[in-house]
Amino acid sequence: MTICSCEETIDEFEMLTCDAGRVQQDTLKKILDINANAEYLQHFGLGGRTDAESFKSCIPLCVHSDIDPYIQRIVDGDSSPVITGNPITSLSLSSGTTHGKPKFIPFNDELLETTLQIFRTSYAFRNREYPIGQGKALQFVYGSKQVVTKGGILATTATTNLYRSQRYKEGMKNIQSQCCSPDEVIFGPDFHQSLYCHLLCGLIYSEEVHSVFSTFAHSLVHAFQTFEEVWEDLCADIRDGVLSKKVTAPSIREAVSKILKPNPELADSIYKKCMALSNWYGVIPALWPNAKYAYGIMTGSMEPYLKKLRHYAGHLPLISADYGASEGWVGSNINPTVPPEQVTYAVLPHTGYFEFIPLEKPIGDETGNSASIHYIESDPVGLTEVEVGKIYEVVITNFAGLYRYRLGDVVKIAGFHNSTPELQFICRRSLVLSINIDKNTEKDLQLAVEEASKLLEGEKLEVVDFTSFVERSSDPGRYVIFWELSADASDEVLSSCANALDLAFIDAGYMGSRKINTIAPLELRILRKGTFKEILDHFLSLGGAVSQFKTPRFVNPSNSKVLQILSRNVTQSYFSTAYGL
């Protein structure tokens, strides 16, 4: 993508967002025209109409369980126009790490095109601030197993659906995002071997790398934690030009061996640079001197990894990638210089039809958290009708058979770019921790962990990762927080952390229940090092892709395997005495 076409992309974006209302009407008409004969739309009596009023009055808001029976028919081989005019030939699997069960989401060529439009737009704005020339991207991306359903439909993760497409590869080449690693590494059968070879290929092409990317911040942190363990092996491979014996997959060995040649000078240079680092601070710019930024989804459940990622990135800017889900894309990051914690996303009005459910907290509950299910909801409003400073749940109608689909995301309107809103992602709407009248979300849990982990800073310790669980085996129930730490801590410090966690949940229902002991004292359980890697391996063994993995912040009782992994790795346990009960 030349500088010229970057400017063209920005010009097109400015034009589309100047008249976002009209573009939305046109986009809805287009979606409903091409899917007019879909059984789902006919079932609700839309009768070929394409105007917004008819659409909203006929088609109800829905969640995944409402459309699951229709999708199941496609999975089983029904090729009639069930939810789209043209048959669905691919399905994406959502990550499904909370309940341990992935959901099927329809995927088609139109979704591929909207993905490229979103990526092109954010690249154009990124390139304006951080221009990059010819080169490669060090990408930690991983395909996943592709399963063929009973009905012959290919089902895999959204990432794999993109990376196996020739159209996507061409599009990414145009925006200078060619991966250092050959396809065989991305689609390798073993994640650990793929990660090792991503690092190796990145080092071989270190002078050409201009950006470092993974889908999620978690994957970037995991990659460089692994680098700390294997860097000397990587140096040996580069020095001798022979791939480590730990890489056993024939497809990966063959592909990587073609680009691995003996290079003692490069090996020595990497060795010296690594030895000169202090606790791996700034390893990314040290080894990839021409990298302009690190890039990936850094909001929501990825925020806890930013501190560690900043440590590895040193002076390099961190840029949060675009906002979307397996169900479709919502917005582009057009302000790449803004730190991830403050990032906003401009909605592209031609990639789908968007509605927003206004969410208001009941009088007297203004101090509650952002994912309380007790919001007062109003009727959905259109893209251009949202108000700055207010919060909403996002509703998407896409080109692949989802109509008025509730994404379950809570967003705040930070402002407008021309006539399209800029959204700030607040949290997933679903509750995480609740025993009776208390209601705490993923964001509340994250804030509580941040607050309590300040007590570790004096000990030069950090929380590697965390999750939670509601213990109901005794009455009253209690919150259980699991921590994996970078090193051992004293009982005194960890007892203080348990108290700090308990006090950091400031939801009125929780505090009131703790005071009268209808919720028992919070328990902090410390895990062996490597526990969360074991959970990741379990997720991969189910056929998941690491590019989709998000540490489950709350473990559902139905997710017995993850609970078993956690339970057998607990080394210490501390109960809060914060409320004196």
Side-chain angles (χ1 to χ4, degrees):
M1 198 172 187
T2 62
I3 297 297
C4 159
S5 66
C6 275
E7 288 309 318
E8 280 173 20
T9 300
I10 290 172
D11 289 347
E12 183 194 10
F13 171 79
E14 297 294 352
M15 186 183 72
L16 287 164
T17 56
C18 274
D19 198 0
R22 183 192 57 78
V23 174
Q24 277 284 276
Q25 300 301 324
D26 293 350
T27 303
L28 179 64
K29 183 178 187 312
K30 194 172 165 190
I31 290 170
L32 298 178
D33 272 340
I34 59 176
N35 298 310
N37 60 339
E39 181 188 322
Y40 183 85
L41 295 177
Q42 296 199 347
H43 170 76
F44 290 109
L46 191 58
R49 287 170 292 177
T50 60
D51 62 289
E53 283 316 303
S54 302
F55 176 64
K56 289 178 190 177
S57 63
C58 293
I59 309 299
L61 294 169
C62 72
V63 293
H64 193 272
S65 54
D66 297 321
I67 54 161
D68 193 48
Y70 292 89
I71 294 174
Q72 208 51 54
R73 282 170 50 195
I74 295 166
V75 169
D76 293 339
D78 188 338
S79 60
S80 67
V82 182
I83 53 173
T84 51
N86 296 318
I88 293 287
T89 53
S90 300
L91 293 161
S92 291
L93 292 160
S94 75
S95 52
T97 40
T98 308
H99 299 283
K101 186 179 172 228
K103 297 181 295 201
F104 287 115
I105 310 285
F107 183 87
N108 60 10
D109 289 344
E110 284 87 356
L111 273 195
L112 177 67
E113 289 305 319
T114 61
T115 303
L116 286 170
Q117 284 165 351
I118 289 265
F119 287 4
R120 266 201 302 268
T121 302
S122 57
Y123 172 78
F125 282 96
R126 256 194 335 276
N127 209 49
R128 196 156 73 171
E129 298 292 342
Y130 307 104
I132 52 178
Q134 293 297 318
K136 294 182 183 292
L138 171 53
Q139 297 188 349
F140 296 99
V141 287
Y142 310 92
S144 68
K145 291 172 189 155
Q146 300 180 31
V147 295
V148 177
T149 69
K150 193 166 83 180
I153 308 285
L154 189 70
T156 185
T157 59
T159 307
T160 309
N161 268 326
L162 293 175
Y163 275 84
R164 69 186 178 85
S165 150
Q166 196 53 43
R167 172 83 185 93
Y168 180 77
K169 283 180 192 161
E170 286 161 12
M172 293 308 276
K173 208 180 250 182
N174 291 340
I175 59 171
Q176 302 298 335
S177 296
Q178 232 180 326
C179 188
C180 289
S181 309
D183 276 2
E184 289 82 355
V185 174
I186 297 173
F187 293 105
D190 180 274
F191 154 65
H192 301 285
Q193 295 179 40
S194 290
L195 171 51
Y196 184 87
C197 291
H198 276 318
L199 289 164
L200 182 62
C201 295
L203 291 168
I204 291 168
Y205 295 115
S206 55
E207 293 298 317
E208 295 176 53
V209 168
H210 54 56
S211 63
V212 179
F213 167 81
S214 192
T215 315
F216 292 118
H218 167 270
S219 299
L220 286 171
V221 169
H222 186 259
F224 290 102
Q225 283 172 333
T226 303
F227 182 80
E228 289 185 40
E229 296 163 14
V230 301
W231 70 279
E232 288 174 289
D233 295 344
L234 292 162
C235 284
D237 290 5
I238 291 168
R239 180 172 284 108
D240 303 334
V242 179
L243 186 55
S244 165
K245 287 190 171 66
K246 69 173 76 169
V247 180
T248 55
S251 57
I252 300 181
R253 280 200 78 84
E254 188 183 341
V256 175
S257 295
K258 284 178 185 165
I259 59 172
L260 178 62
K261 303 285 179 280
N263 192 338
E265 277 177 44
L266 178 59
D268 288 343
S269 162
I270 294 165
Y271 190 87
K272 280 180 190 147
K273 286 174 179 174
C274 288
M275 291 301 283
L277 292 171
S278 169
N279 195 24
W280 299 101
Y281 178 80
V283 61
I284 300 175
L287 296 181
W288 290 277
N290 298 315
K292 297 280 180 73
Y293 48 79
Y295 185 62
I297 294 170
M298 298 184 188
T299 45
S301 60
M302 292 301 128
E303 260 188 51
Y305 302 104
L306 290 180
K307 186 179 173 189
K308 190 70 177 173
L309 185 53
R310 283 201 170 97
H311 180 82
Y312 289 133
H315 64 81
L316 272 195
L318 301 185
I319 304 179
S320 193
D322 308 304
Y323 167 37
S326 301
E327 291 86 352
W329 290 98
V330 180
S332 274
N333 177 3
I334 62 166
N335 301 304
T337 57
V338 171
E341 292 88 344
Q342 280 109 53
V343 73
T344 59
Y345 304 98
V347 180
L348 268 65
H350 61 312
T351 58
Y353 181 73
F354 300 97
E355 296 171 75
F356 296 84
I357 300 169
L359 302 176
E360 282 194 51
K361 291 180 177 159
I363 305 291
D365 194 21
E366 287 83 357
T367 57
N369 54 60
S370 293
S372 148
I373 50 168
H374 300 291
Y375 277 123
I376 297 168
E377 295 182 1
S378 311
D379 290 336
V381 298
L383 181 72
T384 56
E385 297 161 350
V386 292
E387 295 178 44
V388 173
K390 295 205 168 171
I391 57 173
Y392 299 86
E393 182 187 341
V394 183
V395 176
I396 187 170
T397 295
N398 72 9
F399 284 90
L402 297 183
Y403 306 99
R404 307 196 80 201
Y405 183 96
R406 297 177 73 142
L407 273 186
D409 289 349
V410 178
V411 297
K412 185 177 190 175
I413 308 302
F416 278 85
H417 182 92
N418 297 327
S419 61
T420 200
E422 293 192 320
L423 316 177
Q424 191 174 12
F425 178 87
I426 302 294
C427 61
R428 295 285 296 154
R429 191 163 176 196
S430 53
L431 273 179
V432 175
L433 294 163
S434 180
I435 291 172
N436 46 53
I437 61 165
D438 54 309
K439 40 190 190 287
N440 282 297
T441 66
E442 185 174 305
K443 186 71 178 170
D444 299 310
L445 173 62
Q446 182 187 317
L447 292 170
V449 169
E450 280 172 17
E451 187 57 38
S453 62
K454 288 174 186 170
L455 298 171
L456 298 171
E457 288 171 7
E459 311 285 309
K460 299 279 190 287
L461 294 170
E462 58 189 11
V463 177
V464 173
D465 220 333
F466 63 92
T467 189
S468 66
F469 174 68
V470 169
E471 179 60 80
R472 295 180 187 274
S473 61
S474 54
D475 191 39
R478 66 163 47 88
Y479 289 8
V480 177
I481 312 297
F482 295 92
W483 276 7
E484 183 181 322
L485 299 175
S486 55
D488 293 338
S490 69
D491 288 343
E492 186 186 350
V493 167
L494 292 172
S495 295
S496 302
C497 288
N499 289 349
L501 281 166
D502 207 3
L503 293 169
F505 288 106
I506 54 170
D507 164 62
Y510 182 78
M511 292 165 68
S513 299
R514 281 291 287 115
K515 282 171 185 164
I516 59 170
N517 205 29
T518 53
I519 294 179
L522 177 143
E523 182 184 0
L524 171 61
R525 295 182 190 172
I526 304 301
L527 301 165
R528 278 187 193 90
K529 279 182 91 167
T531 302
F532 283 96
K533 283 188 178 162
E534 201 178 324
I535 291 170
L536 168 62
D537 286 338
H538 164 65
F539 174 72
L540 298 178
S541 74
L542 299 176
V546 75
S547 55
Q548 275 203 316
F549 179 74
K550 305 183 192 99
T551 297
R553 292 294 175 223
F554 168 69
V555 184
N556 203 287
S558 63
N559 205 342
S560 56
K561 184 67 185 157
V562 171
L563 279 177
Q564 283 170 18
I565 294 170
L566 290 167
S567 298
R568 70 167 176 259
N569 281 292
V570 173
T571 58
Q572 293 150 290
S573 173
Y574 300 89
F575 289 90
S576 164
T577 55
Y579 285 84
L581 296 167

